[in-house]
Amino acid sequence: MLSNMRTIGGLALLAGLAAAQTFTDCNPMERDDCPPCEALNMDYNFDWTHASNSTTWDRTNGNILYEDTGAKFTVAKQKDGPTLTSQWHIMFGHVEVHLKAAPGQGIVSSIVIQSDNLDEIDWELIGGNTTHVQSNYFGKGNQTTYDRAEWHPVDNPMGRFVNYTVDWTKERMEFWIDAQLVRTLPYEAANGGKNFPQTPSFVRVGVWAGGDPDNQPGVIEWAGGLTDYSKGPYTMEVKDVVIRDYGARDFPDSKEYIFGDRTASWQSIEATP
Ligand SMILES: *[C@@H]1O[C@H](CO)[C@@H](O)[C@H](O)[C@H]1NC(C)=O
Ligand SMILES: *[C@@H]1O[C@H](CO)[C@@H](O)[C@H](O)[C@H]1NC(C)=O
Ligand SMILES: *[C@@H]1O[C@H](CO)[C@@H](O)[C@H](O)[C@H]1NC(C)=O
Ligand SMILES: *[C@@H]1O[C@H](CO)[C@@H](O)[C@H](O)[C@H]1NC(C)=O
């Protein structure tokens, strides 16, 4: 992967940042020796009609086909769940994904922004639901369910590329569907800020079978029911991914974000050149 990236002029800057960081389950709220988080520290438009634009993303659980219309992520059989996870992190930012969701009961197309201490912001498109998309967030892995998940109407999400944008600052996060602001979550509204996502995060885009018969009943139910693989394959398409790392404003030219202590508050995050 790395040698591959060195040959790509357009991504030279990115390649410089992308060492061999692996996403261990090292939780910086529990340990002081977790690896630092590589910083994107810039704005970048990833054009996923070309495989070369995904070299700073790790692929798991299946193949991805790059075509002129976009990258195709397909679930054809049990255990398929093609996913791209960024090697770099953003420390607040703009994440814009132009995505045509996969159809099919129990099939889930996901856009996830997540940190090593389990702050998370996500969009979930349930294949059996052609009218609504879910937005959700978690702070410090707190899974207590009250009002975090919300459903938003969306026009024809499986038939066209929809622009799903999260704009995330230390004051609030905004969820946009195309040109429409559908949700604003102020910092204070997330358990007084304590559960507001605020740590260096990677971005993950993928499709998976939430309705796989081996999954927990609650997951299958949330995913809209059992997946019938005989009715597949089920394909999600992604055209562009536009990322702005707002951390570049506070920490210009930084290569890594570091948890300064175990609080996982944004104030504790440091950066190294
Ligand atoms: C990636 O996509 C961007 C935006 O379309 C383009 O400017 C850049 O040249 C591409 N880089 C590579 C390595 O293909
Ligand atoms: C899609 O989700 C919305 C919001 O939860 C719900 O009202 C609607 O019934 C769902 N549609 C289907 C087909 O499940
Ligand atoms: C996608 O939506 C966001 C939020 O409305 C907007 O800022 C951005 O310009 C849109 N992107 C394109 C390519 O239209
Ligand atoms: C988890 O979230 C719930 C709901 O916001 C909150 O009442 C609880 O205090 C949170 N727990 C922790 C450990 O932050």
Side-chain angles (χ1 to χ4, degrees):
M1 170 86 65
L2 267 177
S3 60
N4 203 7
M5 283 190 292
R6 279 191 204 103
T7 66
I8 297 165
L11 283 177
L13 268 172
L14 273 180
L17 305 174
Q21 158 119 11
T22 48
F23 301 108
T24 60
D25 40 10
C26 191
N27 189 333
M29 292 180 70
E30 291 159 9
R31 305 174 59 140
D32 300 322
D33 58 352
C34 293
C37 306
E38 286 169 57
L40 178 65
N41 210 252
M42 67 169 105
D43 299 348
Y44 204 84
N45 291 13
F46 296 91
D47 171 359
W48 280 2
T49 62
H50 303 286
S52 60
N53 245 294
S54 294
T55 51
T56 58
W57 301 70
D58 292 319
R59 175 174 53 81
T60 48
N61 304 330
N63 286 315
I64 293 161
L65 212 60
Y66 294 89
E67 294 184 352
D68 288 349
T69 47
K72 292 196 160 135
F73 298 63
T74 298
V75 172
K77 57 182 193 310
Q78 208 170 9
K79 308 282 179 237
D80 282 352
T83 298
L84 289 178
T85 304
S86 73
Q87 293 163 357
W88 37 262
H89 298 67
I90 58 174
M91 183 56 202
F92 300 112
H94 175 100
V95 174
E96 174 183 327
V97 180
H98 296 253
L99 176 148
K100 193 193 283 187
Q105 178 172 302
I107 298 291
V108 185
S109 303
S110 302
I111 302 164
V112 179
I113 303 164
Q114 191 191 306
S115 75
D116 290 345
N117 65 303
L118 305 177
D119 281 353
E120 179 177 326
I121 307 170
D122 57 30
W123 295 100
E124 310 278 3
L125 284 125
I126 308 293
N129 193 320
T130 57
T131 60
H132 288 73
V133 54
Q134 187 181 81
S135 68
N136 204 352
Y137 74 92
F138 300 84
K140 302 182 174 67
N142 188 343
Q143 304 216 14
T144 314
T145 340
Y146 289 117
D147 52 359
R148 287 177 298 96
E150 280 188 14
W151 292 90
H152 315 283
V154 53
D155 175 39
N156 197 14
M158 281 95 197
R160 67 186 183 100
F161 287 96
V162 176
N163 170 359
Y164 298 97
T165 295
V166 169
D167 195 81
W168 173 46
T169 68
K170 49 175 88 71
E171 285 85 29
R172 75 330 172 245
M173 60 176 113
E174 293 177 350
F175 293 84
W176 296 75
I177 298 175
D178 293 319
Q180 204 186 348
L181 177 61
V182 297
R183 180 178 190 180
T184 302
L185 184 90
Y187 176 87
E188 284 298 326
N191 193 21
K194 212 169 130 202
N195 289 155
F196 186 84
Q198 53 191 290
T199 48
S201 296
F202 53 87
V203 177
R204 193 171 69 221
V205 180
V207 63
W208 53 293
D212 187 278
D214 288 350
N215 285 349
Q216 301 280 339
V219 174
I220 297 171
E221 190 188 334
W222 169 80
L226 281 172
T227 300
D228 181 350
Y229 293 98
S230 75
K231 292 198 176 129
Y234 303 106
T235 299
M236 170 184 89
E237 290 180 67
V238 183
K239 198 153 51 176
D240 303 294
V241 179
V242 178
I243 311 281
R244 297 187 195 120
D245 180 6
Y246 291 162
R249 299 171 181 177
D250 293 330
F251 307 107
D253 303 321
S254 291
K255 291 198 168 55
E256 294 171 339
Y257 298 126
I258 294 166
F259 287 75
D261 59 30
R262 293 190 182 185
T263 60
S265 67
W266 65 263
Q267 294 93 334
S268 73
I269 303 302
E270 300 162 6
T272 55

